[in-house]
C-alpha cells in the first residue's frame, strides 16, 4: 500500500475545480477517503479511479461518403 494521500485542496487543484467539489464527493460518499483525526485525506488511487469511472469516450462516426442535400 504505497499510496499518496492528498488533501482536499490538492485534489481540487488536480481536478481543476474549487475545493467545494471534492468536499461534495466526500459528503455524498462518491469517493474513497480517510479520516486522520479531524483531517480528511483522499488516496491518489481513489482520485484516479474516480477520473477513470467518469471518463466519457468519444463516439467514432464512420464516414458514409454520401451526403444528403438539405
Amino acid at each position: 500500500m504505497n499510496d499518496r494521500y492528498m488533501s482536499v485542496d490538492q485534489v481540487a487543484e488536480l481536478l481543476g475545480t474549487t475545493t467545494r467539489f471534492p468536499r461534495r464527493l466526500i459528503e455524498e460518499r462518491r469517493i474513497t477517503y480517510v479520516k486522520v483525526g479531524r483531517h480528511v485525506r483522499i488516496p491518489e488511487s481513489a482520485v484516479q479511479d474516480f477520473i477513470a469511472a467518469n471518463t466519457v469516450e468519444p463516439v467514432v462516426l464512420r464516414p458514409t461518403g454520401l451526403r444528403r442535400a438539405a
Side-chain angles (χ1 to χ4, degrees):
M1 191 158 138
N2 242 354
D3 217 354
R4 179 175 158 225
Y5 291 91
M6 301 167 44
S7 69
V8 171
D9 292 333
Q10 291 171 321
V11 172
E13 185 176 333
L14 179 67
L15 295 175
T17 65
T18 63
T19 57
R20 185 176 179 191
F21 181 67
R23 288 189 190 282
R24 192 177 77 206
L25 294 177
I26 291 166
E27 181 183 339
E28 295 173 356
R29 311 266 180 176
R30 293 173 49 199
I31 195 165
T32 303
Y33 66 95
V34 177
K35 288 206 61 164
V36 182
R38 66 185 189 120
H39 302 283
V40 175
R41 296 293 180 253
I42 302 169
E44 190 171 15
S45 62
V47 177
Q48 298 304 327
D49 291 344
F50 177 80
I51 292 170
N54 291 289
T55 299
V56 178
E57 295 296 327
V59 176
V60 178
L61 300 176
R62 291 180 280 169
T64 61
L66 300 175
R67 302 279 183 220
R68 293 182 64 166

